[in-house]
């Protein structure tokens, strides 16, 4: 799945949470999404010190 599609899905999830659940639901979904991203990247074996790296370095690997 492309980065744009993932961004679209994340934005839609935050939009639904904000619309139906209010501001606190929006924040909860946002925080849990960031936690999930960090845990997922750690489980993939990435080093936290490498974040964020410029896009030019991503293309070289």
């Amino acid at each position: 799945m492309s980065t744009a599609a993932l961004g679209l899905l994340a934005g839609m999830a935050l939009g639904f949470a904000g619309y139906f659940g209010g501001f606190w639901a929006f924040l909860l979904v946002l925080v849990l999404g960031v936690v999930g991203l960090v845990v997922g990247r750690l489980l993939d074996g990435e080093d936290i010190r490498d974040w964020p790296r410029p896009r030019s370095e991503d293309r070289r690997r």
Side-chain angles (χ1 to χ4, degrees), residues 5-19:
L6 288 175
L8 175 65
L9 290 174
M12 289 175 62
L14 289 172
F16 278 117
Y19 182 76

Side-chain angles (χ1 to χ4, degrees), residues 40-58:
R41 286 194 166 192
L42 287 173
L43 290 175
D44 282 344
E46 292 188 27
D47 190 6
I48 293 176
R49 291 173 288 187
D50 290 343
W51 306 342
R53 64 178 171 259
R55 284 192 152 259
S56 61
E57 288 184 26
D58 287 341

Side-chain angles (χ1 to χ4, degrees), residues 7-30:
L8 175 65
L9 290 174
M12 289 175 62
L14 289 172
F16 278 117
Y19 182 76
F20 292 111
F23 179 72
W24 294 111
F26 171 83
L27 282 181
L28 179 65
V29 170
L30 180 65

